Amino acid sequence: MAVPEEGSVVETGDQAAPVGWVERTAFDYTAMAEAETAATWDGNARVYQWKDEYGDVGPAFEELEVELFGDPESRRDRQTGLDFSKIEQIEVIQEGPQRIEYIKTFADAGIHPVMLRNIELCGYEVPTPIQKFTIPAILQGYDVIGVAQTGSGKTAAYLIPILSKLMGKAKKLGAPRPNPARFQEGVDNVIAEPLVVVVVPTRELAVQIFNEARKLCYRSMLRPCVVYGGVPVREQGGLLSRGCDILIGTPGRLKDFIGRPEVLSLRRLKYMIIDEADEMLNDDWESELQAILSGAEQDVGNVYYGLFSATFPKAARDLAKKYLCDSHVRFRVGRAGSTTENIKQMIVEVSREGKNETLLTLLEEMNGVRTIIFVNSRQAADTLDDFLFNMKLPVTSIHSDRTQVEREAAMRAFRSGQAPILVATGVTARGIDVRNVMHVINYDLPSIEYGGIEEYTHRIGRTGRIGHRGVATSFFTERDEPLASVLTRTLLETNQDIPDFLQAYIPENWSSGTKVKFETESDFDPNDVAGAGEGCGDEGGGWNTADNVQGDSGGGWGNSGGNDANEAANASGGGWGADAAQPAAGAGW
Ligand code: AMP
C-alpha cells in the first residue's frame, strides 16, 4: 500500500485513522514467532541464477529484473526524484599519501559493460561524490578509507568497482559451483569460497547491502549471499552451500561460519570491506573482527581492504594501520552537517510529560508521510508504539529485543507504506535507507553518553536522503542541556534557525558563513599515514600486478592545495580521460 498523498481522504468509521494517515494494521508478534521456521527471510531473496553455458554474460530475466529494479514505469519516476545539484555540492576531501583523479561519469571509469547496464537499471545517472573517487581508486588497486555515512552512496562506491573488476575474471577466480537447475541438497553442496566479504554492524544494513549487491551482480556469475544473527545457522548454511562469491554479514554470524570450515573458506578472498567500522568498534566486535580479518585460510598479504566509517576514531585508525597498505587512499565526504542542508531541523522545547501531545500535533500537521520516531530505550519504543496504535495511527516499531522475523516484518511494513510510522531505537535504525522518509522525530534526543551529536546526525540523516528534502524535529527537555552547545553549532553549520532557548549557546565569535569545527573532524589526522604495509595486495604478485596501480601522478588533481573536490568536481577537463581510465592493463575487458 502506498503512503497516500498528503491531505488525502482516509476511510472513516470506528477504526478510522486520523486524517491523512492510512488505517493502522495490528501486528501479531506471537503468530510471527510461531511462523519463524516457515519464515521467508530477507536473506533468502532471489539472486541471479548463473548457468555455465551462458559464456561471459547471462541473459536478462524480465521477472527478476522487475523484482530487482522495479517496473520500467516506476524506474522513470525514481530518476526524476533526485536533486543532483545538491549532491554535486557535497565536498570530498582527499587525505593521506595518495591522490586519485576523480571520474565525472560512470562511462568514464572503464567499468564492465554488464555493470554499466546494471547501474543504468538502478537509475544512477551520475556518480555521487564519494563514488567519483572510490571507483577509480579501487579499480586502480588501492586500498581505500572512506569517511562517509550511509546516504552518500557509499555501498555502490565500493561494490561497483569491486564487482566490475571481478566480472571479467569470475570464471578464473571464483570457486566451482553447482548448476542451480539441478541442485540437490546434500549431494551437490559446495564450500562457500567468497571473493569479497563485507562486514557490517547491523542486520538491517547487511540486508540492505545484500539487496544492492543482488542488483549490481545481475546477469553476472557473481553470487551474493548474506548472513546475520536471528536466522537459523542451518538455513544460511544451506544458501552458502550453493556457492557464494560476495558474502555480506554481521560480525557474530560471520565469525560463527568462519569456525565451520566445511561451510566457509576465505582462501579465495580478494576484497575485505569493513563498513560502519566506528560503529563496530564501539560495539565491541573487536574479537569477531580479528577472526574475520585473519581466519578461514585467507591469504592476508594478498587481500585488498576498504574501510568505511562515519567517523575515524583511534580504534578505526589502528585497524587501518594494521591491515591497509601504505599506499592506500583516503576520502572524507563532507560530514553529515554538509549533507543535512537539505534537512530542515527544528528543535522544540517540551516538558517530558508534554511529549506525547506534541507528537500527536506534529503527526497531524505532517500527516501521511513516512516518519521515523527515535526513542532511547526498548521499553520506550514499546510504550510509544502502543500509545500511537491506540490513537489509531499506522505504526510499527523495531528494537533489539525483537526477533528477526519481527524486525524484518516491521521494516517491510514501513517500506511498503502499510505502517508509515516507525518507532525505533537509535541502534537498530543505524544505516537504514528507506526512500522518502520525509520526517524524523527525535522523541528522545540522544544523550551525550550514548552517541551525542554523532547519533543525532545519523538519525536525522534517515531523511533528506541523496537529493531529497526532509524535516527533522527534536524534542528538547531540561535533560538535554548537555547536548545544547554542540547541537547549536550543528544548527549553525547547516544554516538552520536557532530557537530562542538555544541562542545563549551560539559561540561568541561566530558570524554567518563561519565554518564550525566539530570534534569528530579532529579525529581525522591528515598527516597520519595509516598502513604498516603488511596487507598490501600488490606485493604478493599474481592478483595485483603493478600494471593496475597507476594514477598517483601528483598532478592533475588540479586546484590550489589539491583538497577541494567541489572545485575539482566543477572544473572542466579535469584530465581523467577515457583512455587513462582503463583500469588494469591486460585485465581483459
Ligand atoms: P548508501 O549511502 O549506500 O546507503 O546509499 C544511499 C542511497 O543512494 C541508496 O538508496 C542508493 O540506492 C542510492 N544511490 C547510490 N548511488 C547513487 C547514484 N549514483 N545516483 C543515485 N542514487 C544513488
Side-chain angles (χ1 to χ4, degrees), residues 82 84 87 106 119 122-128 131 149-157 160 205 208 212 215 431 433 435 465-466:
L82 297 176
F84 265 90
I87 301 173
F106 288 117
I119 292 170
C122 286
Y124 303 165
E125 290 176 353
V126 187
T128 65
Q131 290 166 2
Q149 308 202 342
T150 304
S152 56
K154 73 176 157 66
T155 313
I160 288 174
L205 201 53
Q208 231 163 259
E212 187 98 355
K215 295 180 191 176
D433 176 50
R435 276 171 200 281
R465 313 296 286 167
I466 300 190

Side-chain angles (χ1 to χ4, degrees), residues 192 254 257-261 264-269 291-299:
L254 276 174
F257 278 116
I258 282 175
R260 297 168 192 251
L264 175 70
S265 161
L266 298 185
R267 64 178 155 241
R268 288 177 195 260
L269 188 73
I292 294 164
L293 283 158
S294 55
E297 299 177 85
Q298 65 188 282
D299 184 4

